[in-house]
Amino acid sequence: GRGQHSAPSGSERSVVGCNSIIAMWYLLLLAGLAAASAPAPEPSFKERRLQYIVTNQNLHVDKLFDDIKSLEKKFSKLGGDVDLKKVRHIKARVSNLEGDGCEGEHEAQCGGDVPECISDLFFCDGHKDCKNGGDEDPDTCSEAIAHVGSSYTGLASWSSCEQHQPHHAVVVITSSHREDDFQPRILVKGVLTLEVDEESHIVKTTQLSGYYNFGQRELVLDPFGEKTTGNYGVRCEFNLGDDDHADCEIVIPSSLHVCAHFNAERH
Amino acid sequence: MKFLIVVLVALASVAWADEKCDILTRLKFKSQWNRAYSHGHSREDFAEAIWRAIFAQAPSARDKFKRVHGEDTSHPAFKAHSLRVLAGFDIAINLLDQTDALKAELDHLEEQHKGRNIPDNYFDAFETALLHVAPAQLGRCWDKEAWKECTELIIHGIEGH
């Protein structure tokens, strides 16, 4: 402060003000020193009692917290809710056993509360044919199953046609296309791979061509092309309530005679 | 001599391949058609699916079918019409191996279509629709080339050119 007031422009008034501020700081400093040297006052009995009660209450809350924790532990040991996927699978299996009540080869169920069958030539063609619109439902018309790159794998067990031990079978979708004027099918091409011998890694592959049928939720693939080494077709029914699991058969294309069976899962 | 035989065989096979919808193809088409044509409800649905596919390609073709309610393919009048069309097609296919009778049927159908000013592309739409719906209806064992060749033979007969 001093340097500022040594300036020639300093007036009488400001010099007085400055002096009084310095005096005040000095007094404050003295008071602070006095306070520091004095002993802290004992808390009164009343205050201690209050502290006692507060501490007590906190301990009480802590105990409740522990009780709740052990209750939660007990509860978690009771087993969780059932996985929604599992529920869907079970519902699908039950409804498979119930049957859909559709008679004709080409009829499929509309779903919903009131049973109704319509031709699978009318599913997902943009025209509502079911009374409840079930044939144009976005879930029903999901193209996910026939997406290029989709692959379905399972352990094939042969009941006729070949003498193979159970081995892996893989179906891979390599192309898919939907005609503008006829939407109820997705035309697909794919490859069937049979890992016949695990030791020598002999793999049989068959080029496939076929379609996905929205109404029946069925993927139908037959051998195609000249470079084919096998002569089997594949039929997969996605009847487990989602797009990731199917019930597949390896068949002789001409007669649809079932040679082998595998439960396929998307990979 | 050997060379001559090779040339003759080559010529013969070219001539064979050149004939579209030959007799064996006709028999194949006929038997596959009978499976696809089906019966009862399934036949009605097959017919309707074909007509939906036709109108999807050529929406203006509906105007030709005002008299039979072409605006709604599930209208009873239109269903009856579409079944009549397939019935005519069925007769033609079943006569594919009896040339004279086939000629008479195609002439009859040509007569029925004359004067209706049906553009060629509507017939093309019919062919395309049939070739898209048939494999869906058959599910297996279908020869696209056979269907194409023999359907074109019938359609050309109805068009008259």
Side-chain angles (χ1 to χ4, degrees):
Chain A
R2 281 212 168 241
Q4 188 190 341
H5 299 292
S6 64
S9 62
S11 66
E12 186 75 5
R13 229 191 192 175
S14 71
V15 169
V16 170
C18 187
N19 281 343
S20 67
I21 286 168
I22 291 166
M24 195 190 77
W25 278 116
Y26 188 65
L27 278 172
L28 271 175
L29 187 69
L30 277 180
L33 283 173
S37 57
E42 281 272 309
S44 67
F45 174 72
K46 225 177 166 183
E47 247 173 87
R48 267 159 53 206
R49 201 179 61 172
L50 182 73
Q51 277 305 319
Y52 180 77
I53 291 170
V54 168
T55 309
N56 228 342
Q57 291 300 313
N58 275 330
L59 284 171
H60 195 59
V61 170
D62 283 352
K63 184 183 179 305
L64 283 175
F65 190 71
D66 282 349
D67 286 353
I68 289 172
K69 251 188 172 172
S70 68
L71 270 178
E72 276 178 342
K73 216 175 177 181
K74 260 189 190 170
F75 182 75
S76 70
K77 277 183 187 160
L78 294 177
D81 273 341
V82 184
D83 185 17
L84 282 178
K85 241 182 176 174
K86 230 176 221 170
V87 176
R88 227 173 30 222
H89 273 213
I90 289 171
K91 278 186 178 171
R93 291 181 63 189
V94 170
S95 78
N96 289 345
L97 287 173
E98 284 173 341
D100 58 6
C102 299
E103 306 258 310
E105 185 199 349
H106 275 287
E107 293 205 320
Q109 193 40 256
C110 287
D113 297 330
V114 185
E116 188 189 355
C117 297
I118 66 158
S119 169
D120 64 24
L121 298 174
F122 297 150
F123 274 78
C124 310
D125 64 352
H127 183 282
K128 273 187 189 175
D129 294 281
C130 291
K131 288 185 189 82
N132 64 7
D135 60 323
E136 300 299 324
D137 180 79
D139 278 341
T140 305
C141 298
S142 157
E143 294 184 348
I145 288 168
H147 273 170
V148 172
S150 294
S151 85
Y152 304 98
T153 312
L155 206 60
S157 49
W158 293 74
S159 49
S160 62
C161 311
E162 304 266 356
Q163 286 203 320
H164 298 311
Q165 290 297 307
H167 62 81
H168 280 105
V170 188
V171 176
V172 182
I173 307 293
T174 53
S175 93
S176 84
H177 168 71
R178 218 166 153 187
E179 299 288 1
D180 290 333
D181 63 322
F182 185 66
Q183 300 261 312
R185 299 285 188 275
I186 304 177
L187 306 175
V188 286
K189 290 205 163 67
V191 178
L192 168 67
T193 308
L194 304 175
E195 293 171 359
V196 177
D197 190 339
E198 275 182 44
E199 272 180 45
S200 59
H201 270 291
I202 293 174
V203 167
K204 282 190 181 176
T205 60
T206 312
Q207 306 243 43
L208 303 170
S209 154
Y211 57 83
Y212 173 67
N213 180 335
F214 290 103
Q216 312 286 358
R217 291 185 63 77
E218 193 182 31
L219 191 63
V220 176
L221 296 162
D222 287 328
F224 144 88
E226 282 165 18
K227 281 186 183 171
T228 288
T229 56
N231 49 357
Y232 297 113
V234 182
R235 260 133 235 265
C236 291
E237 211 183 330
F238 290 78
N239 58 3
L240 289 169
D242 60 25
D243 293 343
D244 302 328
H245 298 84
D247 201 359
C248 296
E249 287 168 345
I250 297 172
V251 299
I252 291 179
S254 54
S255 60
L256 299 186
H257 173 83
V258 178
C259 293
H261 178 269
F262 63 100
N263 289 317
E265 200 175 323
R266 184 195 286 272
H267 283 282
Chain B
M1 190 62 198
K2 258 188 183 171
F3 176 74
L4 247 179
I5 290 170
V6 168
V7 167
L8 277 175
V9 167
L11 277 176
S13 60
V14 165
W16 184 250
D18 221 38
E19 193 196 337
K20 292 202 165 172
C21 192
D22 59 39
I23 185 64
L24 284 179
T25 310
R26 285 177 197 214
L27 291 175
K28 181 192 267 181
F29 176 45
K30 194 168 151 175
S31 104
Q32 291 185 356
W33 162 261
N34 281 326
R35 199 152 53 82
Y37 191 40
S38 187
H39 47 75
H41 251 301
S42 184
R43 179 176 297 177
E44 282 180 37
D45 297 335
F46 176 53
E48 191 174 346
I50 291 173
W51 282 98
R52 283 187 191 185
I54 292 172
F55 292 146
Q57 294 170 70
S60 56
R62 282 186 197 267
D63 297 343
K64 296 274 178 210
F65 300 95
K66 272 186 182 145
R67 198 175 56 82
V68 291
H69 289 273
E71 75 282 352
D72 175 12
T73 52
S74 47
H75 190 284
F78 191 81
K79 276 191 163 177
H81 170 78
S82 62
L83 285 175
R84 275 197 300 276
V85 171
L86 283 202
F89 198 58
D90 179 54
I91 293 172
I93 292 167
N94 278 304
L95 294 176
L96 274 172
D97 51 352
Q98 298 167 53
T99 329
D100 295 343
L102 174 67
K103 175 90 175 59
E105 170 67 8
L106 291 180
D107 288 347
H108 168 68
L109 291 175
E110 186 194 348
E111 198 60 40
Q112 282 187 329
H113 287 83
K114 233 179 209 169
R116 292 185 193 272
N117 296 320
I118 303 169
D120 284 357
N121 70 310
Y122 288 2
F123 284 104
D124 294 344
F126 175 82
E127 184 190 332
T128 307
L130 183 69
L131 293 181
H132 285 165
V133 180
Q137 174 84 345
L138 285 167
R140 66 196 169 97
C141 297
W142 99 291
D143 182 339
K144 186 180 178 178
E145 280 308 304
W147 277 66
K148 191 174 162 59
E149 287 168 10
C150 296
T151 301
E152 279 171 7
L153 181 110
I154 292 170
I155 287 176
H156 291 159
I158 298 170
E159 286 176 319
H161 56 261

